[in-house]
Amino acid sequence: MASEMTPTHIIESRTLDRATVEALAKSGMPHKLVDCTLEEAHLSRLVLEGWVFEACNVKQATFTGAKLGNTLWSDCKGGLADFTGADLSESRIEGCDFNNSSFRGTVLTGAQIERCKLTGANLSEAKTLNLTFEETRLADARLPGLSLRKARLNGLDFQLADLRKSDFRDAIFQDCSLRDANLAECRFEGADLRGADLGGIRLLNAKQFKGATISRDQAGQLLAELGLKVR
């Protein structure tokens, strides 16, 4: 969840550079930025814990190694932003566009991501314990080794995503897409896949769904790979 600390100062509709943000951060208290522009700003390694970013432009901004725990991001535009190695633990990200952004090695422990666009995003090596996703587009994203064990997954689009070695044991899929995703060495034991689009999954890969629950229609799709019909 987002920080329980209340931002001490609200800044609206300003263009901010590193020097300005760094000066604000020195107070040690969180700030709320509303409709601010930080496009291409270099904010690496700053301590911004508990800050609120509302309707801000952070396109191509650099947050590498920044301390962003307990932050709230709402309706922000951040295509190609770089959060490599940042700490976003216990943060809430909602209604944001972070297409093609990098979260490589980012700490996302306990974070909540809802109604976001993460098409083409890179979450390789991210720390995702207790990470929750909802109604988020992750098409063509890189998510190898993702752990969503026992999670309830609602409205997630993993189409063409790299999900190699991800853990979906005991997860429940509702209105999700795994169409043409790379599912090599994934684990689905105990998962309920009846609410997932499995289009493009070949029968040769069906063994990795051992222990999962699928529908008759999904079983028919898999058998159709062998030219068989289910009546």
Side-chain angles (χ1 to χ4, degrees):
M1 296 293 292
S3 172
E4 296 180 357
M5 295 186 291
T6 302
T8 58
H9 189 53
I10 299 176
I11 300 173
E12 299 185 68
S13 305
R14 286 180 55 186
T15 298
L16 306 174
D17 58 12
R18 180 184 177 89
T20 303
V21 176
E22 192 169 17
L24 293 171
K26 286 181 178 179
S27 71
M29 296 299 293
H31 288 66
K32 181 175 182 178
L33 308 184
V34 180
D35 192 30
C36 288
T37 297
L38 298 97
E39 187 169 1
E40 298 186 7
H42 293 276
L43 306 174
S44 58
R45 305 193 181 284
L46 292 184
V47 179
L48 307 176
E49 293 173 330
W51 284 44
V52 174
F53 299 83
E54 182 179 313
C56 291
N57 176 2
V58 294
K59 295 177 181 177
Q60 300 185 61
T62 302
F63 294 93
T64 55
K67 301 298 184 183
L68 301 167
N70 296 302
T71 48
L72 171 61
W73 305 74
S74 177
D75 300 314
C76 294
K77 302 298 183 184
L80 295 171
D82 189 355
F83 292 90
T84 300
D87 183 354
L88 277 160
S89 57
E90 303 297 331
S91 293
R92 186 180 182 92
I93 304 171
E94 55 186 26
C96 294
D97 181 347
F98 285 122
N99 286 338
N100 299 304
S101 292
S102 176
F103 294 87
R104 187 179 181 89
T106 302
V107 179
L108 291 166
T109 303
Q112 298 182 46
I113 300 176
E114 300 178 3
R115 299 179 287 103
C116 291
K117 296 178 182 179
L118 292 169
T119 299
N122 184 359
L123 283 83
S124 301
E125 302 174 24
K127 297 173 178 61
T128 58
L129 181 65
N130 296 324
L131 168 66
T132 59
F133 279 118
E134 187 169 350
E135 296 181 6
T136 291
R137 183 169 177 78
L138 292 149
D140 205 30
R142 283 167 281 177
L143 304 151
L146 180 71
S147 178
L148 288 172
R149 187 176 184 183
K150 296 184 178 180
R152 297 183 68 88
L153 308 178
N154 179 41
L156 300 184
D157 183 359
F158 290 114
Q159 188 171 183
L160 293 169
D162 180 1
L163 294 167
R164 290 170 296 155
K165 299 184 179 180
S166 291
D167 187 351
F168 294 105
R169 286 177 291 173
D170 300 308
I172 299 174
F173 289 77
Q174 181 64 43
D175 193 26
C176 295
S177 176
L178 292 168
R179 178 173 288 273
D180 296 315
N182 185 346
L183 301 176
E185 300 183 65
C186 285
R187 300 191 65 178
F188 288 97
E189 297 99 304
D192 186 343
L193 291 162
R194 289 174 293 180
D197 178 358
L198 301 180
I201 305 300
R202 296 184 178 182
L203 190 61
L204 293 174
N205 304 121
K207 63 182 180 179
Q208 64 197 35
F209 296 128
K210 182 178 180 180
T213 300
I214 62 174
S215 68
R216 288 181 179 272
D217 288 342
Q218 289 170 321
Q221 291 173 10
L222 293 173
L223 290 173
E225 294 285 341
L226 288 178
L228 300 176
K229 296 182 179 180
V230 179
R231 297 184 182 276

